[in-house]
Amino acid sequence: MIDGEFTSLIDVVRSMLQETEAIRDKEPEEIRALRTGTLCNRAGTNSQYFTTWDFVNGMIRDQSMYTWYHFVELAEDNNFSLDNICKVVNLFDHPYSNFLRYTGFPKLGRLAAALRKHLPSASTRQQAVEAVRNFCAYTNLLAAWSFHYFPWNLGEQFRYDNRAQLHVHDTPRDLTRRVQISSGTQIMLTWEPLGISVNAFLATNENPELCDDIIRVLPFRVLQDHAVVSGKSMYAWAPVVSTAPVRVKERQCDAPKGRIRFSQGTGNKLIIQYGEVTEDIETPVLGEIVPEHWDRLDEVGRRVLQSTFDTKELIWVKVEIA
């Protein structure tokens, strides 16, 4: 880097890795400024910043999950030339990164612009893949922090009418489609500062490639949050960007308590189900918490729900080989 300017793709990747590590266990200063109303340019119509916060939360989510993750998939696909990948990145990234630059994320905007500029100079296809993958990982982590601190408790103002429950039918469940896991690599999950641990089997027989991606980055410790739409599920953005082939999926509404899923396409999230959910989409199966530890999930779920919607307490889940 010369006079603050990136001189090569290697230079850009080095900087994005440093930025990613800087926010691994610490709230990004950009998120804090956004949620405390201290943005330097005071972006937000009518002297308020909630609309800016709302837009940013959605943009970061979509940039990481639904844009850069698919750039990784394209970069790994040899049917697409590097030139075509660069064109797609230029076309789809700029609206996200430029808006986020304006609304308090100058580092992200600067890194994205530098990556778009230097990506065509990649010396090998693999160098291009890793550059795109590392930027995806950076945006995933920003999305995790943004999700955690978003004021989800505003939902208290928009509750369903309890009387309507008389006419609501649960999502039809088909327990014959439930995946059974009774063996595999054993892991332990521990929630800090709750002091609660559970053991689980990874689905190393059902989804070996996906499990290999997870095992390679163990142990890890990541921020635990709660689902805000589907029901009794908790999730955490894992420190990996996996594009591994998936052999076995399961509808979330059919899954048992204790199911562990992994959603590659929505931020590479480790998902733990501790009760019923309504969502009927199929998600890759990653493992299952042993039944004798299921009762421990109730307290974890209660505290994580409270954290996500109210207290914003930092609850970390550590995942390691048992």
Side-chain angles (χ1 to χ4, degrees), residues 19-308:
E19 292 296 336
T20 302
E21 286 308 308
I23 62 173
R24 183 76 64 193
D25 301 313
K26 181 181 178 182
E27 179 188 8
E29 58 188 25
E30 299 96 324
I31 299 291
R32 182 170 182 79
L34 181 66
R35 69 181 179 87
T36 57
T38 55
L39 288 177
C40 292
N41 67 355
R42 298 176 65 85
T45 301
N46 202 28
S47 299
Q48 56 77 49
Y49 60 90
F50 174 73
T51 51
T52 307
W53 191 359
D54 181 41
F55 274 46
V56 165
N57 184 62
M59 292 285 272
I60 290 179
R61 176 197 63 199
D62 292 351
Q63 183 187 36
S64 67
M65 298 180 188
Y66 306 129
T67 306
W68 277 91
Y69 179 73
H70 296 304
F71 290 166
V72 177
E73 293 182 305
L74 288 176
E76 291 183 333
D77 189 340
N78 289 324
N79 290 313
F80 293 87
S81 68
L82 179 59
D83 182 58
N84 285 335
I85 292 166
C86 291
K87 288 179 180 177
V88 171
V89 169
N90 277 317
L91 180 64
F92 286 97
D93 172 71
H94 184 262
Y96 288 108
S97 59
N98 192 47
F99 176 81
L100 291 168
R101 173 200 56 77
Y102 156 64
T103 50
F105 292 78
K107 294 176 186 176
L108 181 148
R110 186 162 166 266
L111 283 171
L115 182 53
R116 295 196 306 268
K117 175 182 177 181
H118 291 285
L119 189 59
S121 68
S123 58
T124 66
R125 183 59 174 256
Q126 190 57 35
Q127 186 185 41
V129 170
E130 290 308 309
V132 173
R133 186 186 302 277
N134 284 319
F135 192 78
C136 181
Y138 172 55
T139 59
N140 280 349
L141 198 49
L142 283 174
W145 283 108
S146 179
F147 179 92
H148 177 74
Y149 280 111
F150 193 76
W152 301 110
N153 58 355
L154 290 174
E156 290 292 333
Q157 306 302 316
F158 304 95
R159 285 195 171 275
Y160 289 109
D161 185 344
N162 287 335
R163 292 171 297 178
Q165 292 180 359
L166 297 174
H167 308 288
V168 171
H169 297 282
D170 292 335
T171 304
R173 304 172 72 197
D174 183 356
L175 301 188
T176 65
R177 302 169 66 174
R178 180 173 286 179
V179 178
Q180 302 295 327
I181 299 174
S182 58
S183 64
T185 300
Q186 290 194 47
I187 60 171
M188 181 169 67
L189 298 90
T190 302
W191 286 272
E192 305 165 353
L194 308 186
I196 299 174
S197 296
V198 298
N199 291 334
F201 287 109
L202 287 178
T204 45
N205 299 312
E206 293 78 11
N207 280 320
E209 296 89 353
L210 177 61
C211 289
D212 283 347
D213 276 357
I214 302 304
I215 291 170
R216 271 194 290 270
V217 295
L218 294 178
F220 61 78
R221 175 179 175 269
V222 288
L223 188 62
Q224 181 75 80
D225 264 300
H226 199 284
V228 294
V229 175
S230 60
K232 292 187 175 182
S233 282
M234 303 176 285
Y235 44 64
W237 279 254
V240 63
V241 177
S242 172
T243 55
V246 173
R247 306 183 188 189
V248 178
K249 294 183 178 182
E250 179 182 61
R251 294 198 314 168
Q252 294 184 22
C253 59
D254 297 331
K257 183 176 184 177
R259 167 67 70 235
I260 304 175
R261 296 186 281 274
F262 195 83
S263 181
Q264 296 162 305
T266 63
N268 277 255
K269 293 198 292 282
L270 179 79
I271 305 171
I272 301 161
Q273 185 165 326
Y274 70 98
E276 290 192 12
V277 301
T278 57
E279 198 160 4
D280 61 358
I281 64 169
E282 290 189 332
T283 310
V285 173
L286 185 65
E288 185 170 323
I289 293 168
V290 297
E292 54 267 33
H293 291 173
W294 285 359
D295 61 325
R296 304 178 188 180
L297 295 175
D298 297 332
E299 175 62 12
V300 177
R302 185 188 70 81
R303 288 286 297 273
V304 173
L305 178 70
Q306 188 178 45
S307 166
T308 297

